[in-house]
Amino acid sequence: GAGVSQSPRYKVTKRGQDVALRCDPISGHVSLYWYRQALGQGPEFLTYFNYEAQQDKSGLPNDRFSAERPEGSISTLTIQRTEQRDSAMYRCASSLNTISGANVLTFGAGSRLTVL
Amino acid sequence: AQKITQTQPGMFVQEKEAVTLDCTYDTSDQSYGLFWYKQPSSGEMIFLIYQGSYDEQNATEGRYSLNFQKARKSANLVISASQLGDSAMYFCAMREGPGNYGQNFVFGPGTRLSVLP
């Protein structure tokens, strides 16, 4: 697609429910990143993929969080047994990864999760 | 340890004046990239400027320039002729390693810039 697409844009759920957040990166972009951003703070790294391989998941807060990118394109971030502290904006970004050039991250609009 | 430090939580600047937003970074890699992003109140993340660790010249993009001091590990953003529309959060970010390997990007805590009329 023309940009990075995230869905849903807004998700309200009850504590204890599972949620799945989807990211559709720019077509052809090799790397896909997930960040969490609290209001007034910088994006906090969660995990990233090159193609379908998860390269680094050190930022995932605990084992309730997982992510996959099975075909090297669309990615899903899943949060199991949600807690109120999981409420945040979840942002996805992708980059092309050429040999030369900046390989800038292009961000999606984000999915705002509210856990009641 | 924090990889990106932005020591100014908030900054004010008069319209039409220049402003410098500070960023220091920590890495042991020889190849890395430094980025600045703008986040207005609408929430989108807008890429502004990039500096590669091997670039000898400071990057410039219109009214934005990056004051890159490698030995001091600083990458300050300079905005010239500030405009009211520059009011936003500004984030410094670093990619460790060459870009074609898709390394991790880390972001700083941000600086909120307010431009006064």
Side-chain angles (χ1 to χ4, degrees):
Chain A
V4 179
S5 178
Q6 291 187 246
S7 60
R9 289 291 313 279
Y10 302 91
K11 177 69 177 179
V12 180
T13 190
K14 292 185 177 179
R15 184 165 51 93
Q17 298 293 308
D18 297 351
V19 297
L21 307 177
R22 172 189 162 116
C23 174
D24 192 353
I26 292 173
S27 179
H29 274 199
V30 170
S31 296
L32 184 148
Y33 299 76
W34 283 100
Y35 291 88
R36 179 169 68 176
Q37 187 175 21
L39 203 60
Q41 297 184 22
E44 173 195 6
F45 168 77
L46 296 177
T47 186
Y48 85 97
F49 296 82
N50 284 344
Y51 300 101
E52 73 282 357
Q54 191 170 22
Q55 299 293 321
D56 184 347
K57 57 180 181 178
S58 63
L60 296 176
N62 50 61
D63 59 8
R64 295 186 297 105
F65 286 73
S66 63
E68 62 174 10
R69 193 187 185 197
E71 297 178 0
S73 178
I74 292 170
S75 176
T76 302
L77 176 69
T78 301
I79 309 172
Q80 295 179 311
R81 306 180 302 282
T82 53
E83 300 178 6
Q84 287 185 325
R85 60 179 171 158
D86 300 334
S87 297
M89 176 72 83
Y90 289 83
R91 294 191 180 271
C92 174
S94 68
S95 70
L96 184 57
N97 292 0
T98 55
I99 291 176
S100 62
N103 292 305
V104 173
L105 286 187
T106 301
F107 280 85
S111 292
R112 179 164 295 285
L113 174 66
T114 302
V115 183
L116 302 176
Chain B
Q2 289 290 333
K3 293 216 174 215
I4 299 286
T5 303
Q6 294 180 255
T7 57
Q8 308 150 314
M11 289 279 287
F12 290 90
V13 64
Q14 209 68 38
E15 194 179 7
K16 299 180 185 177
E17 293 186 349
V19 63
T20 298
L21 307 183
D22 295 342
C23 172
T24 56
Y25 59 92
D26 180 28
T27 182
S28 55
D29 281 7
Q30 295 301 307
S31 178
Y32 53 89
L34 298 158
F35 303 75
W36 278 91
Y37 282 81
K38 171 184 178 181
Q39 187 174 48
S41 57
S42 59
E44 60 192 305
M45 290 285 281
I46 302 168
F47 165 71
L48 295 178
I49 195 166
Y50 162 79
Q51 180 85 41
S53 59
Y54 293 119
D55 295 341
E56 294 184 352
Q57 303 270 5
N58 284 343
T60 60
E61 289 285 350
R63 295 186 298 111
Y64 304 108
S65 60
L66 201 153
N67 184 0
F68 181 45
Q69 297 187 46
K70 195 170 182 177
R72 297 178 61 183
K73 294 188 176 177
S74 78
N76 299 339
L77 176 70
V78 180
I79 305 175
S80 62
S82 297
Q83 302 172 356
L84 295 178
D86 294 335
S87 294
M89 283 288 284
Y90 288 81
F91 295 105
C92 179
M94 176 175 64
R95 179 209 68 228
E96 292 184 283
N100 58 312
Y101 292 135
Q103 302 291 334
N104 186 13
F105 275 75
V106 290
F107 285 78
T111 296
R112 180 171 297 283
L113 177 66
S114 299
V115 180
L116 306 174

